[in-house]
Amino acid sequence: MNSSLVLGTAQLGSNYGIANKTGQPDQDTANAIVREAWENGIHEFDTAQGYGKSEDVLGKALSALGLSAAASIISKFDPGLEHLHRATMMNAVDESLSRLGVADLFGMMLHREEMLSLWDEGLSKILHDIVSSGSVKHIGISVYSTDKAIQALNTEGINMVQLPTNILDRRFEKAGVFELAEEKHKKIYIRSVFLQGLVLMDINEIPEQMAFAKTVIEKLDFYSRDLKLSRQELALGYIRAEMPRAKVVFGADTPGQVSENLSCWKHKLSSDVISGVKKLFGNVDEKILTPSMWPH
């Protein structure tokens, strides 16, 4: 089993990512993506109530492949829910279970770091009761800032934190978040390993409104060519080397992308290459690292 990798399914429920050319895959393609992941030892799936039809599509794929009982799934609460209303939150979990066709969830995450402000207002009790009911095993939160990651890791009752990290974005690494997780025996799930596809984009296809990111992508491209590696091998190899205990969430629009990611994941980078990455991309502009700041 490939226990470090998790198949992210935002792509299965909506048109996701700056580099997406194929749009949302149909159900047959989604089934083939899930099958490819499963057959290669990826048995954990990341979804969310806010990812369009992602839960539905994943649920149908698992059912079609006879994997519903064996799959490990993490979902996230719709951020628009009334988080301090017990019945609403309980009901949301039941709806996720129903769409996914599973008896329980490995994890349920808060989808916005702002929800931490509700923790002591009654949210922790509601989530504790959801875990006690047996429908969810672990509670987590998805964050985008280092201070909220640290706060979440220091919060009793939160077992998993999802955060963005990639070859260009090492803010969480520098803030000691991975060490803290280790110390607290909590699990980190890394998302955005390709920065919504930007890291892998053909330089000439970077849209005009993203021109501010071109220089750093060109630098990455030049470095990877120099090493005779693909940018994908470099991006995944860096995470594998530097965050060996974290889980890595990646998405795919086609089954071929799953196998491509798996083969790049196997590629080990030397310590010289890792040092080179740290030197070259030590201080990338936050505007490039934060998709919510990108012009749309």
Side-chain angles (χ1 to χ4, degrees), residues 264-285:
C264 292
W265 180 254
K266 289 173 187 155
H267 199 98
K268 287 188 177 163
L269 302 183
S270 72
S271 54
D272 287 355
V273 170
I274 298 293
S275 305
V277 166
K278 289 182 172 175
K279 206 175 294 176
L280 282 170
F281 309 106
N283 214 359
V284 176
D285 184 349

Side-chain angles (χ1 to χ4, degrees), residues 79-148:
L81 292 173
E82 178 47 74
H83 279 56
L84 294 180
H85 192 269
R86 172 182 297 273
T88 299
M89 298 296 275
M90 296 273 190
N91 190 45
V93 172
D94 290 341
E95 286 179 358
S96 279
L97 294 174
S98 168
R99 282 190 290 268
L100 290 159
V102 295
D104 57 40
L105 291 168
F106 179 70
M108 194 72 187
M109 292 193 178
L110 301 168
H111 208 152
R112 296 275 186 273
E113 61 178 36
E114 294 80 16
M115 302 308 178
L116 274 176
S117 66
L118 304 176
W119 193 258
D120 295 330
E121 308 291 314
L123 182 55
S124 70
K125 176 78 173 91
I126 292 170
L127 296 177
H128 177 269
D129 290 350
I130 286 172
V131 171
S132 298
S133 76
S135 52
V136 171
K137 290 180 180 153
H138 302 286
I139 294 296
I141 188 166
S142 179
V143 303
Y144 50 84
S145 66
T146 54
D147 58 334
K148 292 297 182 196

